[in-house]
């Protein structure tokens, strides 16, 4: 399976692609049906999604709540804008931490690719500055390395400043 | 204690490479404006301006020690951002690996009774 790619377009777009070894119908359903979403949209190890609401129709509500035994919980809300089974989902979402993050407008497309599916997720951030902030913190080049670096830079200082 | 500024202020503050470098320096421990200005080859007012942005974003705080105001990382601000970054950093990668497994099990279910070893 090819890896995740992430690139920018224009001032405010972020584009994620990923290939899956299953037909578009399955990948689409796994993005919509709560009992499937709850199995995979969990983030880092240790998190669960006790609440998953997907009213899969235009205007339908989205609410995901994540929970972690040590790190607490937070949630995401959103609304579906357009649904074209099994090729396209358009929705908006925001995280509540508890302050809401800026609205992220997301279009997800599923296209047959050989015996599998190519998923393309296009995120539109409200402005260039918000995207710049996301990118600068490391999403640009595969996310992982930059974030680990940032964390390494910041963490030792936290240990020293203690519970400042 | 203090109300935490909105998270997007923190991300906007991080959009500047100099401010990220200042945070990296503060991660080593407290520093005054003078100490921060030196390695960055910047004037003190320029550093102060960046520090103000970082303080407004809740990422840096200061204390008063005589005529000095040493700056340090603000744990609350960094933690709030870190929680969000944590999600972004690992979420997509981990999520899609799990989705691979979900899709594989959906396929097995579809193949259903034909599969060897499946309970009748």
């Amino acid at each position: 399976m090819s890896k995740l790619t992430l690139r920018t377009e224009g001032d405010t777009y972020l584009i994620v692609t990923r290939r899956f070894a299953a037909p578009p119908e399955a990948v689409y359903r796994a993005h919509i049906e709560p009992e499937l979403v709850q199995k995979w949209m969990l983030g880092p190890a240790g998190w669960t999604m006790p609440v998953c609401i997907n009213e899969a129709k235009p205007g339908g509500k989205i609410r995901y709540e994540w929970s972690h035994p040590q790190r607490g919980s937070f949630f995401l809300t959103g609304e579906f804008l357009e649904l074209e089974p099994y090729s396209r989902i358009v929705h908006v979402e925001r995280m509540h931490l508890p302050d809401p993050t800026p609205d992220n407008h997301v279009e997800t497309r599923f296209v047959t690719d050989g015996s599998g599916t190519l998923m393309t997720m296009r995120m539109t951030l409200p402005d260039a500055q918000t995207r710049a902030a996301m990118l600068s913190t490391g999403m640009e080049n595969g996310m992982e390395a930059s974030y680990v670096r940032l964390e390494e830079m910041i963490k030792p200082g936290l240990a020293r400043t203690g519970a400042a | 204690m203090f109300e935490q500024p909105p998270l997007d202020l923190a991300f906007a503050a991080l959009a500047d490479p100099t401010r990220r470098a200042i945070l990296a320096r503060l991660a080593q421990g407290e520093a005054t404006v003078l100490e921060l200005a030196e390695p960055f080859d910047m004037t003190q007012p320029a550093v102060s301006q960046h520090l103000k942005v970082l303080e407004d974003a809740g990422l840096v705080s200061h204390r008063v020690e005589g005529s000095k105001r040493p700056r340090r990382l603000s744990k609350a601000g960094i933690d709030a951002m870190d929680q969000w970054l944590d999600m972004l950093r690992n979420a997509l990668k981990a999520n899609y690996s799990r989705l691979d497994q979900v899709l594989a099990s959906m396929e097995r279910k579809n193949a259903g009774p034909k599969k060897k070893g499946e309970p009748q």
Side-chain angles (χ1 to χ4, degrees):
Chain A
M1 265 311 79
S2 83
K3 285 204 168 163
L4 190 82
T5 71
L6 195 144
R7 64 189 168 83
T8 62
E9 201 179 280
D11 275 345
T12 58
Y13 297 112
L14 272 180
I15 294 154
V16 175
T17 69
R18 176 71 150 75
R19 285 188 166 75
F20 297 98
E25 179 177 348
V27 186
Y28 178 95
R29 284 179 49 209
H31 276 76
I32 295 287
E33 296 175 18
E35 60 275 23
L36 295 174
V37 171
Q38 281 172 305
K39 286 181 186 159
W40 68 270
M41 208 182 279
L42 302 174
W47 290 88
T48 56
M49 191 195 284
V51 175
C52 179
I53 297 167
N54 261 337
E55 297 171 8
K57 59 182 182 196
K61 295 264 179 285
I62 300 169
R63 186 182 174 98
Y64 300 157
E65 293 183 22
W66 288 276
S67 175
H68 187 285
Q70 280 87 44
R71 305 196 58 188
S73 62
F74 67 98
F75 64 99
L76 171 151
T77 60
E79 296 82 38
F80 285 107
L81 301 177
E82 295 174 57
L83 291 142
E84 293 172 30
Y86 300 101
S87 60
R88 187 166 167 265
I89 302 167
V90 185
H91 76 278
V92 287
E93 64 176 39
R94 65 210 66 92
M95 300 256 198
H96 300 259
L97 301 168
D99 294 318
T101 57
D103 268 16
N104 186 7
H105 179 282
V106 187
E107 178 191 46
T108 313
R109 287 180 175 275
F110 310 93
V111 176
T112 303
D113 180 58
S115 60
T117 300
L118 172 63
M119 184 205 74
T120 305
M121 188 165 63
R122 172 188 291 255
M123 296 184 257
T124 312
L125 285 310
D127 51 51
Q129 194 192 29
T130 303
R131 194 196 65 181
M134 285 178 74
L135 291 180
S136 72
T137 50
M139 282 187 78
E140 201 161 22
N141 297 312
M143 293 182 282
E144 197 65 20
S146 308
Y147 279 136
V148 168
R149 268 202 305 279
L150 178 68
E151 192 172 53
E152 280 168 358
M153 285 193 301
I154 289 171
K155 281 283 161 65
L158 289 181
R160 209 164 302 176
T161 55
Chain B
M1 221 163 81
F2 298 106
E3 186 116 341
Q4 203 48 46
L7 208 53
D8 49 339
L9 271 187
F11 284 103
L14 271 179
D16 181 276
T18 305
R19 289 197 286 271
R20 291 200 299 277
I22 289 173
L23 284 182
R25 166 62 187 85
L26 291 176
Q28 317 285 316
E30 277 190 345
T32 62
V33 174
L34 189 63
E35 289 164 341
L36 287 169
E38 207 177 350
F40 295 116
D41 196 20
M42 284 173 70
T43 64
Q44 288 189 45
V47 170
S48 294
Q49 189 54 44
H50 283 303
L51 284 170
K52 183 179 173 354
V53 174
L54 289 168
E55 287 202 31
D56 289 347
L59 297 173
V60 165
S61 60
H62 70 266
R63 60 190 178 87
V64 179
E65 186 188 274
S67 61
K68 291 184 194 164
R69 295 166 74 199
R71 305 308 209 279
R72 57 161 60 175
L73 290 185
S74 162
K75 190 178 186 308
I78 302 283
D79 277 355
M81 204 179 59
D82 201 40
Q83 192 180 359
W84 196 69
L85 289 184
D86 223 19
M87 278 303 295
L88 275 185
R89 182 194 313 130
N90 295 312
L92 289 176
K93 248 173 94 171
N95 282 356
Y96 291 138
S97 306
R98 275 189 297 261
L99 178 51
D100 285 335
Q101 291 164 23
V102 169
L103 293 168
S105 74
M106 286 167 77
E107 199 156 345
R108 277 198 299 277
K109 229 173 258 176
N110 283 345
K114 275 182 243 162
K115 271 244 151 139
K116 246 192 352 192
E118 287 264 322
Q120 293 301 309

